[in-house]
């Protein structure tokens, strides 16, 4: 609307004034007219002097209004100035492209998002075909009359378009920067007037546009962007993000968060289903949030089957949805069927050790080795597989301790360890990446003398010196255990069949006792369980934090076995077992081995290159740069490819390898490491080669990105509403083979409008004052 009004008043489009240069082309008569204008100005000023003097006099029949007189003077002088300006013949000098002497690069988005039917006459691709593929109609007709058009289609890169039928709109990715750079390089050396980019503005890669735009700017090559599609979908539901672990132990109850956004369905209730191989393994209903706002929903999935599982999170399409493909997301999880070794060091014979072992006895994926101190330098070893193992007590070397994935310290004082062993425990978490759990008791935490030690640095809670007071505050305190807000959604607190059932179960559990008064946690730590004593005071019961490569957990109660043996607990109750299985599985979750490998991305397009990254350490978890690594990649067909894995040179212990995934399916990469002829270890990761669905997510027209491309290169952004002006704007970019044109401006409609406005304003003001 505004642009049409501008064209009506000024005769030309705004880009003409932007690119042009203003000049005056006066004749000899113009200077005579200038002299007459000066005389007219003098006469006007002299004639208004008497009026100004009367207006400055005290209020009376003809005085007291100098402001009105000054306005009349300004209107008259403005009218003379406009006429004088026109007599000096202002002209606009512009460079116009010579017809058929310049090339134009036309890039059409050929990705899958162009199939979305959110336009008035079909899909985005239909609009692009109608306007830009037939030289006899649409915008392409006007462009072809002025330029030699070279048409490209692009998704990941730009390729010449020979016929409209080559537009399949099947590209799985959109790389705007690569497309622009490819077209620029192919047409380098030709008189190029500009680039037209027809796209919805989606860019599904992490590659920045900055480099491509800098190249365009350096070449003074403007990009005119044409946005297709709607910048807001009327009705759509999108599964925005899924958070899943990369690996999990078989039998683990996974709590997976999904983020959902929608427009047009606010307040409706939908169900998020989780499918594994077409079988529903989890469901959760949710109420959709207000339009445009994200909402999180948590769904529980049991990792029942070992192997590589592709989980599909799906909300059934609703009536009238613009895009059905963004209602589902897939995530790949490796379910491991192996035994994770945990060392449990118990400082005194007590029930906690017995019932902990009993709780996980049936868990085939947890192997708890218990070292119980029965007297000074005397130990009971339970669960060992070698008679010599732990014969001298707690491990004295890093190699021995780092062979475990988890470590539980239960009521054992700091003085039971040497200084090196305390540092070794901290390094077990920080460098080895293991899980450390300290259980409460009179010899634990500050009461056990850990304040100021390396172990205290690793723990998530703040340790102060034990305080002994006369009122008995250092005695055992009964605590009613409740999950915090963060704990309610954590896997450890899921002690019943569902999240709601777990929340209802916690208040019914019998109180536990603690002698460790923990009030503060460290920055970055999270409290999962709190305890409330008889005086309504709150203290930390269960807290955790990341420390280096691993995690540390503090549990400040000493008798969780009461959840098994209390009189109010039935024999069939599984609360105690569920809690300890979940806690110990979380303790060893994602603990790295001596060889750890992963792909930079676990999902690629068929034919795309996969980069493997492996980390290798020795038994003491010191990074190795001289190991020999070999990768064995098994394709979906079963064919095995052997690849060398080279040290990256960028980081100690880091190795890289690449391979191409030509066919669709799951590729398994096993990396084996040796050093000096001795085996260090091996690790396996998986990669899926499948067509990407990223084009259907956040698939609205990305106007800010298209506007940025146009602004930074000197072009302009168009939508369907103002697309008709594109050919004329391209004609005046000033690039390529051009001719100089002079456009006289004195006869523009705006000049007549301005003269009439000044005359009308003066007449109206005089009439109001009774001077007309």
């Amino acid at each position: 609307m505004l642009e049409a009004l501008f064209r009506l008043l000024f005769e030309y489009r705004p880009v003409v004034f932007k690119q042009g240069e203003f000049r005056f082309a006066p004749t000899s008569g113009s200077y005579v007219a200038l002299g007459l204008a000066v005389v007219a100005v003098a006469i006007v000023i002299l004639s208004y002097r008497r009026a100004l003097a009367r207006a400055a006099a005290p209020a009376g029949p003809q005085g007291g209004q100098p402001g009105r007189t000054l306005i009349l003077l300004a209107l008259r002088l403005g009218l003379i100035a406009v006429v004088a300006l026109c007599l000096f013949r202002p002209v606009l000098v512009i460079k116009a492209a010579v017809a058929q002497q310049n090339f134009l690069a036309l890039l059409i988005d050929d990705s899958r998002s162009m199939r979305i039917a959110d336009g008035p006459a079909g899909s985005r691709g239909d609009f692009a075909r109608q306007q830009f593929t037939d030289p006899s109609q649409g915008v392409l007709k006007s462009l072809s009359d002025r330029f030699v058009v070279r048409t490209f289609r692009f998704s990941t890169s730009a390729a010449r378009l020979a016929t409209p039928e080559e537009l399949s709109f099947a590209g799985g990715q959109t790389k705007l920067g690569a497309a622009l750079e490819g077209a620029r390089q192919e047409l380098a050396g030709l008189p190029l007037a500009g680039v037209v980019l027809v796209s919805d503005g989606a860019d599904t890669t992490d590659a920045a546009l900055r480099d491509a735009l800098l190249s365009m700017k350096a070449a003074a090559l403007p990009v005119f962007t044409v946005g297709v599609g709607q910048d807001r979908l009327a009705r759509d539901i999108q599964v925005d993000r899924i958070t899943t672990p990369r690996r999990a132990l078989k039998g683990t109850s996974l709590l997976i968060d999904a983020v959902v956004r929608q427009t047009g369905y606010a307040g409706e209730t939908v169900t998020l289903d989780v499918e594994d191989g077409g079988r529903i393994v989890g469901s959760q209903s949710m109420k959709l949030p207000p339009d445009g706002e994200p909402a999180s929903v948590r769904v529980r999935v049991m990792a029942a089957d070992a192997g590589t599982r592709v989980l599909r999170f799906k909300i059934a399409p609703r009536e009238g949805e613009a895009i059905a493909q963004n209602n589902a997301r897939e995530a790949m999880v490796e379910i491991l069927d192996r035994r994770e070794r945990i060392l449990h060091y118990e400082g005194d014979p007590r029930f906690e050790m017995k019932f902990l072992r009993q709780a996980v006895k049936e868990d085939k994926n947890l192997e708890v080795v218990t070292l119980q101190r029965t007297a000074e330098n005397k130990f009971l070893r339970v669960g060992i597989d070698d008679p010599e193992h732990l014969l001298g007590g707690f491990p004295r070397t890093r190699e021995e301790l780092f062979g475990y994935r988890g470590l539980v310290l239960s009521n054992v004082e700091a003085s039971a360890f040497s200084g090196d062993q305390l540092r070794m425990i901290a390094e077990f978490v920080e460098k080895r990446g293991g899980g450390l759990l300290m259980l409460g008791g009179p010899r634990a935490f500050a009461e056990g003398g850990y304040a100021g030690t390396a172990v205290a640095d690793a723990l998530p809670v703040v340790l102060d010196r034990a305080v002994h007071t006369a009122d008995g505050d250092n005695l055992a305190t009964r605590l009613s255990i409740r999950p915090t807000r963060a704990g309610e959604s954590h896997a450890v607190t899921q002690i019943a069949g569902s999240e709601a059932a777990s929340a209802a179960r916690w208040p019914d559990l019998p109180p536990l006792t603690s002698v460790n008064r923990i009030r503060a946690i460290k920055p970055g730590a999270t409290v999962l369980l709190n305890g409330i004593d008889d005086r309504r005071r709150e203290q930390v019961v269960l807290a955790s934090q990341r420390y280096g490569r691993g995690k540390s957990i503090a549990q400040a109660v000493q008798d969780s076995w009461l959840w098994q043996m209390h009189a109010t607990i039935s024999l069939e109750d599984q609360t105690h077992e569920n809690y300890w299985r979940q806690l110990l599985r979380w303790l060893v979750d994602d603990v790295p081995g001596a060889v750890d490998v992963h792909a930079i991305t676990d999902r690629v397009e068929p034919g795309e290159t996969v980069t493997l990254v492996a980390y290798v350490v020795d038994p003491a978890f010191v990074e190795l740069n001289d190991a020999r690594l070999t990768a064995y990649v098994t394709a979906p067909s079963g064919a095995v490819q052997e690849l060398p894995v080279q040290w990256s040179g960028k980081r100690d212990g880091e190795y890289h390898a690449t391979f191409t995934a030509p066919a669709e399916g799951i590729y398994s990469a096993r990396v084996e490491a040796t050093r000096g002829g001795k085996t260090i270890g091996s690790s396996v990761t998986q990669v899926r080669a499948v067509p990407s669905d990223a084009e259907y997510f956040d698939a609205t027209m990305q106007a800010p990105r298209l506007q940025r491309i146009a602004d930074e290169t000197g072009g302009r952004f168009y939508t369907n509403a103002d697309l008709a002006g594109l050919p004329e704007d391209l004609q005046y970019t000033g690039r390529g083979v051009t001719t100089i044109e002079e456009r006289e401006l004195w006869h523009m409609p705006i000049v007549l409008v301005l003269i009439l406005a000044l005359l009308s304003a003066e007449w109206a003001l005089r009439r109001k004052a009774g001077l007309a």
Side-chain angles (χ1 to χ4, degrees):
M1 177 68 74
L2 292 177
E3 189 165 298
L5 180 61
F6 186 94
R7 179 70 182 264
L8 178 65
L9 294 175
F10 292 89
E11 289 190 344
Y12 310 115
R13 291 178 55 78
V15 69
V16 176
F17 290 90
K18 181 180 178 181
Q19 300 291 345
E21 178 184 348
F22 288 96
R23 294 179 185 173
F24 289 97
T27 62
S28 56
S30 300
Y31 293 102
V32 174
L34 177 62
L36 294 174
V38 172
V39 173
V41 169
I43 294 173
V44 170
I45 293 175
L46 289 174
S47 64
Y48 272 90
R49 283 185 65 185
R50 296 178 61 187
L52 285 169
R54 290 196 304 269
Q62 296 182 345
Q65 298 189 29
R68 180 176 61 195
T69 306
L70 285 173
I71 293 173
L72 289 170
L73 174 61
L75 291 172
R76 181 63 60 88
L77 291 177
L79 179 63
I80 295 173
V82 171
V83 173
L85 185 67
C86 292
L87 291 174
F88 262 74
R89 296 183 62 204
V91 296
L92 183 66
V93 180
I94 55 176
K95 293 180 179 180
V98 178
Q100 298 302 314
Q101 296 298 309
N102 295 282
F103 286 80
L104 176 70
L106 173 61
L107 281 75
I108 302 176
D109 193 338
D110 195 32
S111 64
R112 293 189 187 114
S113 61
M114 296 292 283
R115 296 179 179 179
I116 297 172
D118 61 346
S123 69
R124 301 170 182 179
D126 292 338
F127 173 81
R129 279 197 177 102
Q130 178 185 355
Q131 294 291 337
F132 295 101
T133 61
D134 188 350
S136 64
Q137 65 176 5
V139 176
L140 185 58
K141 182 179 186 303
S142 299
L143 294 175
S144 300
D145 291 341
R146 294 173 169 86
F147 305 99
V148 179
V149 180
R150 290 290 180 262
T151 306
F152 298 81
R153 60 186 177 91
F154 74 92
S155 53
T156 56
S157 60
R160 287 290 297 274
L161 181 69
T163 63
E165 288 71 25
E166 292 182 359
L167 282 174
S168 61
F169 305 115
Q173 294 180 326
T174 303
K175 298 181 179 179
L176 296 176
L180 290 171
E181 184 64 16
R184 184 189 69 81
Q185 291 181 5
E186 182 160 341
L187 298 180
L190 297 176
L192 195 59
V195 177
V196 175
L197 178 70
V198 182
S199 173
D200 54 21
D203 194 323
T204 57
T205 68
D206 294 329
L209 278 171
R210 187 173 62 89
D211 292 343
L213 297 183
L214 286 175
S215 297
M216 292 288 177
K217 194 172 182 179
L221 188 59
V223 180
F224 294 78
T225 55
V226 179
V228 295
Q230 301 295 321
D231 56 8
R232 182 182 183 276
L233 299 176
R235 294 171 69 80
D236 186 58
I237 299 173
Q238 174 171 298
V239 180
D240 217 23
R241 186 175 66 253
I242 301 294
T243 304
T244 60
R246 188 161 56 103
R247 299 185 178 107
L249 275 181
K250 180 182 177 182
T252 300
S253 180
L254 303 176
L255 283 181
I256 300 174
D257 289 319
V259 177
V260 177
R261 283 188 300 161
Q262 66 81 37
T263 53
Y265 299 98
E268 294 190 21
T269 299
V270 297
T271 300
L272 176 69
D273 292 324
V274 185
E275 298 178 355
D276 181 3
R279 175 171 52 95
I280 294 180
V281 294
S283 293
Q284 182 63 51
S285 61
M286 68 172 298
K287 186 177 181 180
L288 291 175
D291 288 3
E293 294 185 11
S296 180
V297 58
R298 181 170 289 105
V299 59
R300 179 182 294 209
V301 176
M302 180 60 68
D305 300 320
T308 303
R309 318 308 304 176
V310 178
L311 302 180
R312 181 176 175 83
F313 299 79
K314 180 180 179 181
I315 295 176
R318 310 289 282 184
E319 183 178 354
E321 266 201 81
I323 309 172
Q325 292 89 341
N326 63 357
N327 284 42
R329 277 194 184 271
E330 292 181 342
M332 188 169 63
V333 182
E334 180 69 13
I335 307 301
L336 304 173
D337 189 9
R338 68 186 185 194
R339 293 177 67 83
E340 302 283 31
R341 298 187 76 206
I342 301 171
L343 175 59
H344 176 200
Y345 187 13
E346 180 68 56
D348 279 318
R350 58 178 187 164
F351 289 131
E352 194 74 346
M353 183 272 283
K354 173 185 174 181
F355 284 96
L356 184 156
R357 292 190 58 82
Q358 184 174 311
V360 301
K361 180 176 61 175
E362 301 299 327
D363 194 324
K364 297 180 180 180
N365 297 106
L366 292 177
E367 180 184 354
V368 178
V369 176
T370 300
L371 179 68
Q372 184 182 63
R373 185 176 58 187
T374 56
E376 187 174 354
N377 295 324
K378 294 189 182 225
F379 303 95
L380 171 66
R381 298 170 296 152
V382 183
I384 59 173
D385 53 10
D386 183 348
E388 301 297 320
H389 190 53
L390 301 177
L391 190 60
F394 191 81
R396 289 180 170 81
T397 65
R398 283 160 177 76
E399 290 82 356
E400 186 179 3
L401 178 61
F402 289 4
Y404 294 93
R405 292 180 178 266
L407 173 62
V408 180
L409 298 181
S410 178
N411 196 36
V412 55
E413 68 280 3
S415 60
F417 305 101
S418 67
D420 186 59
Q421 284 177 315
L422 290 171
R423 288 189 294 273
M424 192 167 64
I425 292 171
E427 291 176 5
F428 175 81
V429 185
E430 182 181 17
K431 295 183 178 181
R432 191 259 182 269
L436 170 65
L437 169 62
M438 180 173 284
L439 303 183
R443 294 186 174 89
F445 298 107
E447 290 77 6
Y450 284 95
T453 67
V455 174
D457 295 337
L459 290 174
V461 295
V462 177
L463 301 186
D464 296 322
R465 299 292 180 183
V467 178
H468 300 275
T469 60
D471 62 4
D473 274 359
N474 60 317
L475 300 180
T477 303
R478 284 167 51 90
L479 298 173
S480 297
I481 312 302
R482 298 289 185 274
T484 63
R485 175 166 293 186
E488 288 175 351
S489 58
H490 199 279
V492 170
T493 67
Q494 305 308 301
I495 54 177
S498 66
E499 191 171 337
S502 298
R505 179 63 178 140
W506 280 103
D508 296 335
L509 293 178
L512 305 181
T513 64
S514 174
V515 295
N516 309 111
R517 301 292 296 275
I518 296 176
R519 302 294 188 191
I521 62 172
K522 294 177 181 176
T526 303
V527 178
L528 302 178
L529 293 175
N530 271 332
I532 302 173
D533 64 18
D534 296 336
R535 293 155 67 177
R536 308 303 301 168
R537 293 178 301 182
E538 193 172 76
Q539 75 174 61
V540 177
V541 168
L542 186 69
S544 71
Q545 73 168 4
R546 297 297 302 183
Y547 185 72
R549 300 181 68 191
K551 71 167 73 71
S552 62
I553 306 171
Q555 178 174 292
V557 291
Q558 61 181 348
D559 47 9
S560 67
W561 60 270
L562 288 173
W563 289 343
Q564 179 68 54
M565 296 302 294
H566 195 271
T568 61
I569 302 295
S570 67
L571 292 176
E572 297 80 13
D573 192 285
Q574 294 292 305
T575 299
H576 183 258
E577 287 86 346
N578 290 340
Y579 175 78
W580 274 106
R581 287 172 186 170
Q582 293 287 80
L583 180 58
L584 294 185
R585 281 172 172 266
W586 177 46
L587 181 69
V588 296
D589 177 55
D590 205 27
V591 174
V595 179
D596 189 57
V597 64
H598 69 275
I600 289 180
T601 176
D602 65 359
R603 179 170 177 167
V604 298
E605 287 273 331
E608 197 171 350
T609 298
V610 177
T611 299
L612 299 175
V613 180
Y615 296 99
V616 182
V617 295
D618 67 10
F621 275 71
V622 176
E623 294 84 357
L624 298 176
N625 297 334
D626 58 351
R628 181 174 181 179
L629 277 69
T630 305
Y632 301 92
V633 179
T634 304
S637 63
V640 179
Q641 179 183 6
E642 183 176 331
L643 300 171
V645 187
Q646 304 294 338
W647 178 48
S648 68
K650 300 178 181 178
R651 178 179 172 184
D652 288 338
E654 182 180 277
Y655 295 76
H656 289 177
T658 60
F659 69 92
T660 302
E664 189 172 336
I666 296 179
Y667 291 77
S668 178
R670 178 181 180 85
V671 174
E672 298 180 355
T674 60
R675 186 190 190 205
K678 296 182 179 180
T679 299
I680 298 173
S682 64
S683 182
V684 180
T685 191
Q686 283 76 30
V687 177
R688 294 175 66 211
V690 290
S692 173
D693 56 1
E695 287 287 324
Y696 296 111
F697 291 86
D698 297 321
T700 54
M701 190 256 288
Q702 303 296 313
R705 182 178 290 121
L706 295 173
Q707 183 74 60
R708 174 197 168 197
I709 294 172
D711 290 345
E712 291 193 16
T713 59
R716 191 177 173 198
F717 169 56
Y718 301 83
T719 62
N720 186 34
D722 56 3
L723 184 58
L726 172 63
E728 183 176 349
D729 290 351
L730 279 163
Q731 190 173 357
Y732 299 108
T733 62
R735 281 189 48 86
V737 181
T738 60
T739 183
I740 302 298
E741 295 183 0
E742 291 188 355
R743 306 286 181 88
E744 296 199 10
L745 304 179
W746 65 269
H747 53 62
M748 291 189 302
I750 187 62
V751 176
L752 177 60
V753 170
L754 188 58
I755 291 174
L756 291 176
L758 291 170
L759 287 172
S760 300
E762 183 181 1
W763 177 81
L765 189 58
R766 285 179 174 278
R767 182 178 177 84
K768 183 177 180 180
L771 301 176

